[in-house]
């Protein structure tokens, strides 16, 4: 009830952080990130785990999904191409048998094609009912949504997840990226995860890129996409729209020249 009131009062908003093709630095998609704008002192890292524990994460997630659906229409009208937005879904929700069906119905009722949305799921899903999570995620994948494994490398058996979840993308956790240029072990881990992803035929996003050296390291190693403060911070929708209008449209020809990426929509977003 309290969550419904806070959402209705406009206490939360959705920010967007662009993701870039690592080779050309063209923005190709964005991650939707919820912010408790009425409580700037509360970072998502603090309030999301609490909501996951007390069950209030579902209404907040549905608020994010509804906002993203609306914003996708606005982006599409302004940019003239189908955007791709990724949404973080708590593993606790995927372990509820009816959640995925509700999500599918909601998104299709809003006139959004599944190919325009990627669902990010963190490796912590292993602590939930694994069978139920795999069933839900497979249902979404079969309906045409992309699936990304978030925070890759921080869980306990990443390679196992890659085998059992139908993920098309992995997002290499920023912990490893932060070590590039500072800790050789992190560099070797990033290099071998990129190798492994190629072998497993999944696309790669490197998170938390903050320096040119980090960007160069991962793009030289063939990482598909980069995300991080070096390239763009999370921003409110209107700023994101202006950002995309500035950077996206004039470079559409470039996008067509990028080697096939799972994360590019067939329309050449
Ligand atoms: O777990 P997930 O990858 O969804 O977390 C995304 C969070 O990481 C967001 O809250 C976002 O603000 C933050 N973030 C995004 N890019 C960077 C970055 O380059 N550096 C740091 N420190 N945080 C980042
Ligand atoms: Mn994420």
């Amino acid at each position: 009830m309290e969550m419904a009131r806070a959402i209705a009062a406009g206490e939360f908003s959705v920010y967007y952080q662009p993701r870039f093709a690592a080779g050309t630095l063209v923005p190709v998609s964005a991650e939707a990130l919820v912010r408790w704008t009425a409580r700037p002192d509360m970072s998502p890292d603090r309030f999301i785990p609490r909501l996951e524990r007390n069950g209030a994460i579902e209404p907040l997630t549905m608020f994010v999904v509804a906002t993203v659906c609306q914003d996708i229409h606005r982006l599409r009208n302004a940019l003239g191409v189908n955007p791709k937005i990724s949404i973080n879904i708590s593993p606790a929700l995927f372990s509820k048998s009816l959640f995925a069906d509700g999500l599918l119905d909601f998104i299709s009722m809003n006139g959004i094609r599944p190919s325009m949305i990627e669902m990010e799921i963190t490796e912590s899903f292993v602590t939930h009912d694994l069978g139920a999570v795999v069933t839900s995620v497979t249902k979404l994948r079969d309906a045409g949504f992309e699936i990304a494994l978030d925070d890759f490398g921080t869980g306990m058996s990443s390679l196992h997840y890659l085998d059992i979840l139908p993920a098309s993308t992995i997002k290499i956790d920023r912990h490893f990226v932060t070590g590039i240029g500072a800790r050789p072990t992190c560099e070797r881990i990033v290099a071998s995860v990129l190798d492994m992803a190629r072998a497993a035929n999944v696309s790669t996003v490197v998170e938390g890129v903050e320096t040119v050296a980090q960007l160069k390291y991962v793009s030289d190693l063939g990482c598909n996409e980069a995300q991080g403060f070096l390239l763009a911070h999370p921003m409110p929708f209107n700023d994101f729209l202006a950002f995309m209008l500035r950077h996206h449209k004039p470079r559409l020809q470039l996008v067509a020249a990028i080697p096939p990426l799972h994360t590019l929509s067939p329309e050449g977003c």
Side-chain angles (χ1 to χ4, degrees):
M1 286 312 285
E2 180 56 17
M3 178 51 79
R5 186 208 56 77
I7 291 170
E11 290 193 12
F12 292 93
S13 57
V14 176
Y15 277 42
Y16 294 89
Q17 185 177 32
R19 278 171 31 180
F20 299 79
T24 60
L25 299 188
V26 173
V28 285
S29 62
E31 176 172 6
L33 294 161
V34 71
R35 292 289 184 262
W36 193 352
T37 22
R39 290 286 308 272
D41 55 313
M42 290 290 276
S43 75
D45 289 348
R46 284 182 69 194
F47 68 81
I48 294 204
R50 285 191 212 172
L51 298 179
E52 284 177 336
R53 280 194 298 274
N54 72 17
I57 194 67
E58 182 161 357
L60 187 65
T61 301
M62 291 319 291
F63 161 76
V64 173
V65 172
T67 308
V68 166
C69 287
Q70 248 175 37
D71 291 345
I72 282 180
H73 284 296
R74 293 162 70 191
L75 278 167
R76 194 166 192 258
N77 291 339
L79 299 173
V81 292
N82 288 335
K84 162 75 70 67
I85 303 292
S86 50
I87 302 179
N88 294 284
I89 307 280
S90 160
L93 294 176
F94 281 136
S95 59
K96 292 175 63 172
S97 60
L98 293 178
F99 178 77
D101 293 310
L103 193 61
L104 283 173
D105 287 348
F106 184 88
I107 291 172
S108 88
M109 265 164 32
N110 277 277
I112 302 293
R113 283 198 234 155
S115 62
M116 297 181 202
I117 294 187
E118 179 181 77
M119 309 285 179
E120 295 189 12
I121 175 167
T122 74
E123 282 193 346
S124 66
F125 78 83
V126 76
T127 56
H128 296 79
D129 177 349
L130 210 54
V133 172
V134 172
T135 303
S136 296
V137 173
T138 305
K139 207 179 270 179
L140 293 170
R141 180 77 178 127
D142 289 347
F145 293 94
E146 299 273 348
I147 306 294
L149 265 182
D150 205 1
D151 307 328
F152 190 83
T154 56
M156 297 199 311
S157 58
S158 317
L159 303 179
H160 179 52
Y161 306 154
L162 258 189
D163 187 34
I164 60 172
L165 269 196
S168 49
T169 300
I170 58 173
K171 298 190 76 180
I172 302 176
D173 193 74
R174 73 170 167 269
H175 169 84
F176 302 107
V177 182
T178 309
I180 295 174
R183 295 195 298 279
T185 306
C186 283
E187 291 179 0
R188 285 194 288 270
I189 290 173
V190 170
S192 60
V193 171
L194 290 171
D195 260 357
M196 183 274 302
R198 225 183 329 271
N201 199 27
V202 291
S203 162
T204 45
V205 182
V206 174
E207 297 181 308
V209 175
E210 292 185 353
T211 68
V212 173
Q214 291 165 353
L215 177 64
K216 184 163 175 359
Y217 185 82
V218 296
S219 65
D220 285 352
L221 289 172
C223 143
N224 296 105
E225 290 183 41
Q227 178 181 351
F229 293 168
L230 173 72
L231 299 162
H233 281 251
M235 53 191 117
F237 178 75
N238 285 339
D239 294 351
F240 172 59
L241 179 57
F243 180 92
M244 292 305 272
L245 282 169
R246 268 200 317 277
H247 292 97
H248 180 95
K249 228 175 182 170
R251 301 199 198 170
L252 277 178
Q253 311 87 307
L254 269 181
V255 175
I258 301 174
L261 262 186
H262 292 295
T263 41
L264 286 177
S265 70
E267 292 77 8
C269 164

